[in-house]
CSV table of all heavy atoms in Angstrom, one decimal:
chain,number,residue,atom,x,y,z
J,1,MET,N,89.6,106.1,94.4
J,1,MET,CA,90.0,107.0,95.4
J,1,MET,C,91.5,107.0,95.7
J,1,MET,O,92.1,106.0,95.7
J,1,MET,CB,89.2,106.7,96.7
J,1,MET,CG,87.8,107.1,96.7
J,1,MET,SD,86.9,106.5,98.2
J,1,MET,CE,87.8,107.4,99.5
J,2,ALA,N,92.0,108.2,95.9
J,2,ALA,CA,93.4,108.3,96.1
J,2,ALA,C,93.8,108.0,97.6
J,2,ALA,O,92.9,108.2,98.4
J,2,ALA,CB,93.9,109.7,95.7
J,3,PRO,N,95.0,107.6,97.8
J,3,PRO,CA,95.4,107.4,99.2
J,3,PRO,C,95.4,108.8,99.9
J,3,PRO,O,95.5,109.8,99.3
J,3,PRO,CB,96.8,106.9,99.1
J,3,PRO,CG,96.9,106.4,97.7
J,3,PRO,CD,96.0,107.2,96.9
J,4,THR,N,95.2,108.8,101.2
J,4,THR,CA,95.2,110.0,102.0
J,4,THR,C,96.2,109.9,103.1
J,4,THR,O,96.7,108.8,103.4
J,4,THR,CB,93.8,110.3,102.7
J,4,THR,OG1,93.4,109.1,103.4
J,4,THR,CG2,92.8,110.6,101.6
J,5,ARG,N,96.5,111.0,103.8
J,5,ARG,CA,97.6,111.0,104.8
J,5,ARG,C,97.2,110.2,106.0
J,5,ARG,O,96.0,110.3,106.5
J,5,ARG,CB,97.9,112.4,105.2
J,5,ARG,CG,99.1,112.6,105.9
J,5,ARG,CD,99.6,114.1,105.8
J,5,ARG,NE,100.2,114.4,104.5
J,5,ARG,CZ,101.4,114.0,104.1
J,5,ARG,NH1,102.1,113.3,104.8
J,5,ARG,NH2,101.8,114.3,102.9
J,6,CYS,N,98.1,109.4,106.5
J,6,CYS,CA,97.9,108.7,107.7
J,6,CYS,C,97.8,109.6,108.9
J,6,CYS,O,98.7,110.5,109.0
J,6,CYS,CB,99.0,107.7,107.9
J,6,CYS,SG,99.0,106.8,109.5
J,7,PRO,N,96.8,109.5,109.8
J,7,PRO,CA,96.7,110.4,110.9
J,7,PRO,C,97.7,110.1,112.1
J,7,PRO,O,97.8,111.0,113.0
J,7,PRO,CB,95.3,110.2,111.5
J,7,PRO,CG,95.0,108.8,111.1
J,7,PRO,CD,95.7,108.5,109.8
J,8,ALA,N,98.4,109.0,112.0
J,8,ALA,CA,99.3,108.6,113.1
J,8,ALA,C,100.8,108.8,112.9
J,8,ALA,O,101.5,108.6,113.8
J,8,ALA,CB,99.0,107.2,113.5
J,9,CYS,N,101.2,109.2,111.7
J,9,CYS,CA,102.6,109.4,111.5
J,9,CYS,C,102.8,110.5,110.5
J,9,CYS,O,101.9,110.9,109.8
J,9,CYS,CB,103.3,108.1,111.0
J,9,CYS,SG,102.7,107.5,109.5
J,10,PRO,N,104.0,111.1,110.4
J,10,PRO,CA,104.2,112.3,109.6
J,10,PRO,C,104.1,112.1,108.1
J,10,PRO,O,103.6,113.0,107.4
J,10,PRO,CB,105.6,112.8,110.0
J,10,PRO,CG,106.2,111.9,111.0
J,10,PRO,CD,105.2,110.7,111.2
J,11,ASP,N,104.5,111.0,107.6
J,11,ASP,CA,104.5,110.9,106.1
J,11,ASP,C,103.9,109.6,105.6
J,11,ASP,O,104.1,109.3,104.4
J,11,ASP,CB,105.9,111.2,105.5
J,11,ASP,CG,107.0,110.7,106.4
J,11,ASP,OD1,106.9,109.6,106.9
J,11,ASP,OD2,107.9,111.5,106.6
J,12,GLY,N,103.2,108.9,106.4
J,12,GLY,CA,102.6,107.6,105.9
J,12,GLY,C,101.3,108.0,105.1
J,12,GLY,O,100.7,109.0,105.3
J,13,MET,N,101.0,107.2,104.1
J,13,MET,CA,99.8,107.3,103.3
J,13,MET,C,99.0,106.1,103.5
J,13,MET,O,99.5,104.9,103.4
J,13,MET,CB,100.1,107.5,101.8
J,13,MET,CG,101.0,108.8,101.5
J,13,MET,SD,100.1,110.3,101.9
J,13,MET,CE,99.1,110.5,100.5
J,14,LYS,N,97.7,106.2,103.6
J,14,LYS,CA,96.8,105.1,103.8
J,14,LYS,C,95.9,104.9,102.6
J,14,LYS,O,95.5,105.9,102.0
J,14,LYS,CB,96.0,105.2,105.1
J,14,LYS,CG,95.1,106.4,105.1
J,14,LYS,CD,94.4,106.4,106.5
J,14,LYS,CE,93.3,107.5,106.5
J,14,LYS,NZ,92.2,107.3,105.6
J,15,GLY,N,95.5,103.7,102.3
J,15,GLY,CA,94.6,103.5,101.2
J,15,GLY,C,93.2,103.8,101.6
J,15,GLY,O,92.8,104.0,102.7
J,16,PRO,N,92.3,103.9,100.5
J,16,PRO,CA,90.9,104.3,100.8
J,16,PRO,C,90.3,103.2,101.7
J,16,PRO,O,90.5,102.0,101.5
J,16,PRO,CB,90.3,104.3,99.4
J,16,PRO,CG,91.3,103.9,98.4
J,16,PRO,CD,92.6,103.8,99.1
J,17,GLY,N,89.5,103.6,102.7
J,17,GLY,CA,88.8,102.7,103.5
J,17,GLY,C,89.7,102.2,104.7
J,17,GLY,O,89.2,101.5,105.5
J,18,LYS,N,90.9,102.5,104.7
J,18,LYS,CA,91.8,102.1,105.8
J,18,LYS,C,91.9,103.2,106.9
J,18,LYS,O,91.7,104.4,106.6
J,18,LYS,CB,93.3,101.9,105.2
J,18,LYS,CG,93.4,100.8,104.2
J,18,LYS,CD,93.2,99.4,104.8
J,18,LYS,CE,93.6,98.3,103.9
J,18,LYS,NZ,92.8,98.3,102.6
J,19,TYR,N,92.1,102.8,108.1
J,19,TYR,CA,92.1,103.7,109.2
J,19,TYR,C,93.5,104.3,109.3
J,19,TYR,O,93.7,105.5,109.8
J,19,TYR,CB,91.8,103.0,110.5
J,19,TYR,CG,90.4,102.5,110.6
J,19,TYR,CD1,90.0,101.6,111.6
J,19,TYR,CD2,89.4,103.1,109.8
J,19,TYR,CE1,88.7,101.2,111.7
J,19,TYR,CE2,88.0,102.7,109.9
J,19,TYR,CZ,87.7,101.7,110.9
J,19,TYR,OH,86.4,101.3,111.0
J,20,LEU,N,94.6,103.5,109.0
J,20,LEU,CA,96.0,103.9,109.2
J,20,LEU,C,96.8,103.4,108.1
J,20,LEU,O,96.3,102.5,107.3
J,20,LEU,CB,96.5,103.4,110.5
J,20,LEU,CG,95.8,103.8,111.9
J,20,LEU,CD1,96.4,102.9,113.0
J,20,LEU,CD2,96.0,105.2,112.1
J,21,CYS,N,98.0,103.9,107.9
J,21,CYS,CA,98.9,103.3,106.9
J,21,CYS,C,99.3,101.9,107.5
J,21,CYS,O,99.1,101.6,108.6
J,21,CYS,CB,100.2,104.2,106.7
J,21,CYS,SG,101.3,104.2,108.1
J,22,TRP,N,99.9,101.1,106.6
J,22,TRP,CA,100.3,99.7,107.0
J,22,TRP,C,101.2,99.7,108.2
J,22,TRP,O,101.0,98.9,109.1
J,22,TRP,CB,100.9,99.0,105.7
J,22,TRP,CG,101.2,97.6,106.1
J,22,TRP,CD1,102.4,97.1,106.2
J,22,TRP,CD2,100.3,96.5,106.3
J,22,TRP,NE1,102.3,95.7,106.5
J,22,TRP,CE2,101.0,95.4,106.6
J,22,TRP,CE3,98.9,96.4,106.4
J,22,TRP,CZ2,100.4,94.2,107.0
J,22,TRP,CZ3,98.3,95.2,106.7
J,22,TRP,CH2,99.1,94.1,107.0
J,23,GLY,N,102.2,100.6,108.2
J,23,GLY,CA,103.2,100.6,109.2
J,23,GLY,C,102.5,100.8,110.6
J,23,GLY,O,102.9,100.2,111.6
J,24,CYS,N,101.6,101.8,110.6
J,24,CYS,CA,101.0,102.1,111.9
J,24,CYS,C,100.0,101.0,112.3
J,24,CYS,O,99.8,100.7,113.4
J,24,CYS,CB,100.3,103.5,111.8
J,24,CYS,SG,101.4,104.8,111.7
J,25,TRP,N,99.3,100.5,111.3
J,25,TRP,CA,98.3,99.4,111.6
J,25,TRP,C,99.0,98.2,112.2
J,25,TRP,O,98.5,97.7,113.2
J,25,TRP,CB,97.6,99.0,110.3
J,25,TRP,CG,96.6,97.9,110.4
J,25,TRP,CD1,96.8,96.6,110.0
J,25,TRP,CD2,95.3,98.0,111.0
J,25,TRP,NE1,95.7,95.9,110.3
J,25,TRP,CE2,94.7,96.7,110.9
J,25,TRP,CE3,94.6,99.0,111.6
J,25,TRP,CZ2,93.5,96.4,111.4
J,25,TRP,CZ3,93.3,98.7,112.1
J,25,TRP,CH2,92.8,97.4,112.0
J,26,THR,N,100.1,97.9,111.7
J,26,THR,CA,100.8,96.7,112.3
J,26,THR,C,101.5,97.1,113.7
J,26,THR,O,101.9,96.2,114.4
J,26,THR,CB,101.9,96.2,111.3
J,26,THR,OG1,102.8,97.2,111.0
J,26,THR,CG2,101.3,95.6,110.1
J,27,GLY,N,101.5,98.4,114.0
J,27,GLY,CA,102.0,98.8,115.3
J,27,GLY,C,101.0,98.7,116.4
J,27,GLY,O,101.3,98.7,117.6
J,28,LEU,N,99.7,98.5,116.0
J,28,LEU,CA,98.7,98.3,117.0
J,28,LEU,C,98.7,96.9,117.6
J,28,LEU,O,99.3,96.0,117.0
J,28,LEU,CB,97.3,98.5,116.3
J,28,LEU,CG,96.9,99.9,115.8
J,28,LEU,CD1,95.6,99.8,115.0
J,28,LEU,CD2,96.8,100.9,116.9
J,29,SER,N,98.2,96.8,118.8
J,29,SER,CA,98.1,95.5,119.4
J,29,SER,C,97.1,94.6,118.6
J,29,SER,O,96.2,95.1,117.9
J,29,SER,CB,97.6,95.6,120.9
J,29,SER,OG,96.3,96.0,120.9
J,30,MET,N,97.3,93.3,118.7
J,30,MET,CA,96.4,92.4,118.1
J,30,MET,C,94.9,92.6,118.5
J,30,MET,O,94.0,92.6,117.7
J,30,MET,CB,96.7,90.9,118.5
J,30,MET,CG,98.0,90.4,117.8
J,30,MET,SD,97.7,90.1,116.0
J,30,MET,CE,96.8,88.5,116.2
J,31,ALA,N,94.7,92.9,119.8
J,31,ALA,CA,93.4,93.1,120.4
J,31,ALA,C,92.7,94.3,119.7
J,31,ALA,O,91.6,94.3,119.4
J,31,ALA,CB,93.4,93.2,121.9
J,32,ALA,N,93.5,95.4,119.6
J,32,ALA,CA,93.0,96.6,119.0
J,32,ALA,C,92.6,96.4,117.6
J,32,ALA,O,91.6,96.8,117.1
J,32,ALA,CB,94.0,97.8,119.2
J,33,ARG,N,93.5,95.7,116.8
J,33,ARG,CA,93.2,95.5,115.4
J,33,ARG,C,91.9,94.6,115.2
J,33,ARG,O,91.1,94.8,114.4
J,33,ARG,CB,94.4,94.8,114.7
J,33,ARG,CG,95.4,95.8,114.3
J,33,ARG,CD,96.5,95.1,113.6
J,33,ARG,NE,97.4,94.4,114.5
J,33,ARG,CZ,98.4,93.6,114.1
J,33,ARG,NH1,98.6,93.3,112.8
J,33,ARG,NH2,99.2,93.0,115.0
J,34,ARG,N,91.8,93.6,116.1
J,34,ARG,CA,90.6,92.7,116.0
J,34,ARG,C,89.3,93.5,116.2
J,34,ARG,O,88.4,93.4,115.5
J,34,ARG,CB,90.7,91.6,117.1
J,34,ARG,CG,89.7,90.5,116.9
J,34,ARG,CD,89.9,89.4,117.8
J,34,ARG,NE,89.9,89.8,119.2
J,34,ARG,CZ,90.9,89.6,120.1
J,34,ARG,NH1,92.0,89.0,119.7
J,34,ARG,NH2,90.8,90.1,121.3
J,35,GLU,N,89.3,94.4,117.2
J,35,GLU,CA,88.1,95.3,117.4
J,35,GLU,C,87.9,96.2,116.2
J,35,GLU,O,86.8,96.4,115.8
J,35,GLU,CB,88.3,96.1,118.7
J,35,GLU,CG,88.3,95.3,119.9
J,35,GLU,CD,87.0,94.5,120.1
J,35,GLU,OE1,85.9,95.0,119.9
J,35,GLU,OE2,87.1,93.2,120.3
J,36,LEU,N,89.0,96.8,115.7
J,36,LEU,CA,88.8,97.8,114.6
J,36,LEU,C,88.4,97.1,113.3
J,36,LEU,O,87.8,97.8,112.4
J,36,LEU,CB,90.1,98.6,114.4
J,36,LEU,CG,90.5,99.5,115.6
J,36,LEU,CD1,91.9,100.0,115.5
J,36,LEU,CD2,89.5,100.7,115.6
J,37,LYS,N,88.6,95.9,113.1
J,37,LYS,CA,88.3,95.2,111.9
J,37,LYS,C,86.8,94.9,111.8
J,37,LYS,O,86.3,94.5,110.8
J,37,LYS,CB,89.1,93.9,111.7
J,37,LYS,CG,90.5,94.3,111.0
J,37,LYS,CD,91.2,93.0,110.5
J,37,LYS,CE,91.8,92.3,111.6
J,37,LYS,NZ,92.8,91.3,111.2
J,38,ARG,N,86.1,94.9,113.0
J,38,ARG,CA,84.7,94.6,113.0
J,38,ARG,C,84.0,95.8,112.4
J,38,ARG,O,84.2,96.9,112.7
J,38,ARG,CB,84.2,94.4,114.4
J,38,ARG,CG,84.8,93.1,115.0
J,38,ARG,CD,84.7,93.0,116.5
J,38,ARG,NE,83.3,93.2,116.9
J,38,ARG,CZ,82.9,93.6,118.2
J,38,ARG,NH1,83.9,93.9,119.1
J,38,ARG,NH2,81.7,93.8,118.5
J,39,ARG,N,83.1,95.5,111.4
J,39,ARG,CA,82.3,96.6,110.8
J,39,ARG,C,80.9,96.4,111.1
J,39,ARG,O,80.1,95.6,110.5
J,39,ARG,CB,82.5,96.5,109.2
J,39,ARG,CG,84.0,96.7,108.8
J,39,ARG,CD,84.5,98.0,109.2
J,39,ARG,NE,85.9,98.1,108.9
J,39,ARG,CZ,86.4,98.8,107.8
J,39,ARG,NH1,85.6,99.5,107.0
J,39,ARG,NH2,87.7,98.9,107.6
J,40,ASP,N,80.5,97.1,112.2
J,40,ASP,CA,79.0,97.1,112.6
J,40,ASP,C,78.7,98.5,112.9
J,40,ASP,O,79.4,99.5,112.6
J,40,ASP,CB,78.8,96.1,113.7
J,40,ASP,CG,79.6,96.4,114.9
J,40,ASP,OD1,80.1,97.6,115.0
J,40,ASP,OD2,79.9,95.5,115.8
J,41,ARG,N,77.5,98.7,113.6
J,41,ARG,CA,77.1,100.1,113.8
J,41,ARG,C,78.0,100.9,114.8
J,41,ARG,O,77.9,102.1,115.0
J,41,ARG,CB,75.6,100.1,114.2
J,41,ARG,CG,75.3,99.4,115.5
J,41,ARG,CD,73.8,99.3,115.7
J,41,ARG,NE,73.5,98.7,117.0
J,41,ARG,CZ,73.5,99.4,118.1
J,41,ARG,NH1,73.6,100.7,118.0
J,41,ARG,NH2,73.2,98.9,119.3
J,42,ARG,N,78.8,100.1,115.6
J,42,ARG,CA,79.7,100.8,116.5
J,42,ARG,C,81.1,101.1,115.9
J,42,ARG,O,82.0,101.6,116.5
J,42,ARG,CB,80.0,99.9,117.7
J,42,ARG,CG,78.8,99.4,118.4
J,42,ARG,CD,77.9,100.4,119.2
J,42,ARG,NE,78.7,101.4,119.9
J,42,ARG,CZ,78.7,101.5,121.2
J,42,ARG,NH1,77.9,100.8,122.0
J,42,ARG,NH2,79.4,102.5,121.8
J,43,ALA,N,81.3,100.8,114.6
J,43,ALA,CA,82.6,100.9,114.0
J,43,ALA,C,83.0,102.4,114.0
J,43,ALA,O,84.2,102.6,114.2
J,43,ALA,CB,82.5,100.4,112.5
J,44,MET,N,82.1,103.3,113.7
J,44,MET,CA,82.5,104.7,113.7
J,44,MET,C,83.0,105.2,115.1
J,44,MET,O,83.9,105.9,115.3
J,44,MET,CB,81.4,105.5,113.2
J,44,MET,CG,81.8,107.0,112.8
J,44,MET,SD,83.2,107.1,111.7
J,44,MET,CE,82.5,106.4,110.2
J,45,ALA,N,82.3,104.7,116.2
J,45,ALA,CA,82.7,105.0,117.5
J,45,ALA,C,84.1,104.5,117.9
J,45,ALA,O,84.9,105.1,118.5
J,45,ALA,CB,81.6,104.5,118.5
J,46,ARG,N,84.3,103.3,117.4
J,46,ARG,CA,85.7,102.7,117.6
J,46,ARG,C,86.7,103.5,116.9
J,46,ARG,O,87.8,103.7,117.4
J,46,ARG,CB,85.7,101.2,117.2
J,46,ARG,CG,85.0,100.3,118.2
J,46,ARG,CD,85.3,98.8,117.9
J,46,ARG,NE,84.6,98.4,116.7
J,46,ARG,CZ,83.4,97.8,116.6
J,46,ARG,NH1,82.7,97.7,117.7
J,46,ARG,NH2,82.9,97.5,115.4
J,47,LEU,N,86.4,103.9,115.7
J,47,LEU,CA,87.4,104.7,114.9
J,47,LEU,C,87.7,106.0,115.6
J,47,LEU,O,88.8,106.5,115.7
J,47,LEU,CB,86.8,105.0,113.5
J,47,LEU,CG,87.7,105.9,112.6
J,47,LEU,CD1,89.0,105.2,112.4
J,47,LEU,CD2,87.0,106.1,111.3
J,48,GLN,N,86.6,106.7,116.2
J,48,GLN,CA,86.8,107.9,116.9
J,48,GLN,C,87.7,107.7,118.2
J,48,GLN,O,88.5,108.5,118.5
J,48,GLN,CB,85.5,108.5,117.3
J,48,GLN,CG,84.8,109.2,116.1
J,48,GLN,CD,83.4,109.6,116.3
J,48,GLN,OE1,82.8,109.2,117.3
J,48,GLN,NE2,82.8,110.2,115.3
J,49,GLU,N,87.5,106.5,118.8
J,49,GLU,CA,88.3,106.2,120.0
J,49,GLU,C,89.7,106.0,119.6
J,49,GLU,O,90.6,106.5,120.2
J,49,GLU,CB,87.7,104.8,120.6
J,49,GLU,CG,88.2,104.6,121.9
J,49,GLU,CD,87.6,103.4,122.6
J,49,GLU,OE1,86.9,102.6,121.9
J,49,GLU,OE2,87.8,103.2,123.8
J,50,LEU,N,90.0,105.4,118.4
J,50,LEU,CA,91.3,105.2,117.9
J,50,LEU,C,92.0,106.6,117.7
J,50,LEU,O,93.1,106.9,118.2
J,50,LEU,CB,91.3,104.4,116.6
J,50,LEU,CG,92.6,104.3,115.9
J,50,LEU,CD1,93.7,103.5,116.6
J,50,LEU,CD2,92.4,103.7,114.5
J,51,TYR,N,91.3,107.4,116.9
J,51,TYR,CA,91.9,108.7,116.5
J,51,TYR,C,92.0,109.6,117.7
J,51,TYR,O,93.0,110.4,117.8
J,51,TYR,CB,91.0,109.4,115.4
J,51,TYR,CG,91.2,108.7,114.1
J,51,TYR,CD1,90.4,109.2,113.0
J,51,TYR,CD2,92.1,107.7,113.8
J,51,TYR,CE1,90.5,108.6,111.7
J,51,TYR,CE2,92.3,107.2,112.6
J,51,TYR,CZ,91.4,107.6,111.5
J,51,TYR,OH,91.6,107.0,110.3
J,52,GLY,N,91.1,109.5,118.7
J,52,GLY,CA,91.2,110.3,119.9
J,52,GLY,C,92.5,110.0,120.7
J,52,GLY,O,93.2,110.8,121.2
J,53,GLN,N,92.8,108.7,120.7
J,53,GLN,CA,94.0,108.3,121.5
J,53,GLN,C,95.3,108.7,120.7
J,53,GLN,O,96.3,109.1,121.3
J,53,GLN,CB,94.0,106.8,121.7
J,53,GLN,CG,92.9,106.4,122.8
J,53,GLN,CD,92.8,104.9,123.0
J,53,GLN,OE1,93.7,104.3,123.6
J,53,GLN,NE2,91.7,104.3,122.6
J,54,ILE,N,95.2,108.6,119.4
J,54,ILE,CA,96.4,109.0,118.6
J,54,ILE,C,96.6,110.5,118.8
J,54,ILE,O,97.7,111.0,119.1
J,54,ILE,CB,96.1,108.7,117.1
J,54,ILE,CG1,96.2,107.2,116.9
J,54,ILE,CG2,97.1,109.5,116.2
J,54,ILE,CD1,95.8,106.8,115.5
J,55,THR,N,95.5,111.3,118.8
J,55,THR,CA,95.6,112.7,119.0
J,55,THR,C,96.2,113.0,120.4
J,55,THR,O,96.9,114.0,120.6
J,55,THR,CB,94.2,113.4,118.9
J,55,THR,OG1,93.8,113.1,117.6
J,55,THR,CG2,94.3,114.9,119.0
J,56,ALA,N,95.8,112.2,121.4
J,56,ALA,CA,96.3,112.4,122.8
J,56,ALA,C,97.7,111.9,123.0
J,56,ALA,O,98.3,112.1,124.0
J,56,ALA,CB,95.4,111.7,123.7
J,57,GLY,N,98.3,111.3,121.9
J,57,GLY,CA,99.7,110.9,122.0
J,57,GLY,C,99.9,109.5,122.6
J,57,GLY,O,101.0,109.2,123.0
J,58,VAL,N,98.9,108.7,122.7
J,58,VAL,CA,99.0,107.3,123.2
J,58,VAL,C,99.9,106.5,122.2
J,58,VAL,O,99.6,106.5,121.0
J,58,VAL,CB,97.7,106.7,123.4
J,58,VAL,CG1,97.8,105.3,123.9
J,58,VAL,CG2,96.8,107.5,124.4
J,59,PRO,N,100.9,105.8,122.7
J,59,PRO,CA,101.7,105.0,121.7
J,59,PRO,C,100.8,103.9,121.1
J,59,PRO,O,99.9,103.4,121.7
J,59,PRO,CB,102.7,104.3,122.7
J,59,PRO,CG,102.8,105.2,123.9
J,59,PRO,CD,101.4,105.8,124.0
J,60,LEU,N,101.1,103.6,119.8
J,60,LEU,CA,100.2,102.7,119.1
J,60,LEU,C,100.0,101.4,119.8
J,60,LEU,O,98.9,100.9,119.8
J,60,LEU,CB,100.8,102.5,117.7
J,60,LEU,CG,100.7,103.7,116.7
J,60,LEU,CD1,101.5,103.4,115.4
J,60,LEU,CD2,99.2,104.0,116.4
J,61,ASP,N,101.0,100.8,120.3
J,61,ASP,CA,100.9,99.5,120.9
J,61,ASP,C,100.2,99.5,122.3
J,61,ASP,O,100.0,98.5,122.9
J,61,ASP,CB,102.2,98.8,121.0
J,61,ASP,CG,103.2,99.5,121.9
J,61,ASP,OD1,102.9,100.6,122.3
J,61,ASP,OD2,104.3,99.0,122.1
J,62,GLU,N,99.9,100.8,122.8
J,62,GLU,CA,99.1,100.9,124.0
J,62,GLU,C,97.7,101.3,123.8
J,62,GLU,O,96.9,101.5,124.8
J,62,GLU,CB,99.8,101.9,125.0
J,62,GLU,CG,101.2,101.3,125.5
J,62,GLU,CD,101.9,102.3,126.3
J,62,GLU,OE1,101.3,103.3,126.8
J,62,GLU,OE2,103.1,102.1,126.5
J,63,ILE,N,97.3,101.5,122.6
J,63,ILE,CA,95.9,101.9,122.3
J,63,ILE,C,95.0,100.8,122.6
J,63,ILE,O,95.2,99.6,122.2
J,63,ILE,CB,95.8,102.4,120.8
J,63,ILE,CG1,96.4,103.8,120.7
J,63,ILE,CG2,94.3,102.5,120.4
J,63,ILE,CD1,96.5,104.4,119.3
J,64,ARG,N,93.9,101.1,123.3
J,64,ARG,CA,92.9,100.1,123.7
J,64,ARG,C,91.6,100.5,123.1
J,64,ARG,O,91.2,101.7,123.3
J,64,ARG,CB,92.8,99.9,125.2
J,64,ARG,CG,94.1,99.4,125.8
J,64,ARG,CD,94.3,97.9,125.6
J,64,ARG,NE,95.5,97.5,126.2
J,64,ARG,CZ,96.7,97.4,125.6
J,64,ARG,NH1,96.8,97.8,124.3
J,64,ARG,NH2,97.8,97.0,126.2
J,65,ILE,N,90.9,99.6,122.4
J,65,ILE,CA,89.6,99.9,121.9
J,65,ILE,C,88.5,99.3,122.8
J,65,ILE,O,88.5,98.1,122.9
J,65,ILE,CB,89.4,99.4,120.4
J,65,ILE,CG1,90.5,100.0,119.6
J,65,ILE,CG2,88.0,99.7,119.9
J,65,ILE,CD1,90.5,101.5,119.4
J,66,THR,N,87.7,100.1,123.4
J,66,THR,CA,86.8,99.6,124.4
J,66,THR,C,85.3,99.7,124.0
J,66,THR,O,84.4,99.2,124.7
J,66,THR,CB,87.0,100.3,125.7
J,66,THR,OG1,86.8,101.7,125.5
J,66,THR,CG2,88.4,100.1,126.3
J,67,THR,N,85.1,100.5,122.9
J,67,THR,CA,83.7,100.7,122.5
J,67,THR,C,83.1,99.5,121.9
J,67,THR,O,83.7,98.8,121.0
J,67,THR,CB,83.7,101.8,121.4
J,67,THR,OG1,84.3,103.0,121.9
J,67,THR,CG2,82.3,102.2,121.0
O,101,ZN,ZN1,101.0,105.8,109.7
């Protein structure tokens, strides 16, 4: 699979299966990354929470994953 565009920055590319490019991923808080790395049946809801906050313009280091 080819890399696709990162949803959180203008020209970052993310690898297959990744939520964000490396630069944006490391911009998230430790707590948010820990939640997003869990792969269970709520993982898709957490991903939607992440992308929803990005779309709303929340700074990466202020994104909170609560799902
Ligand atoms: Zn990015």
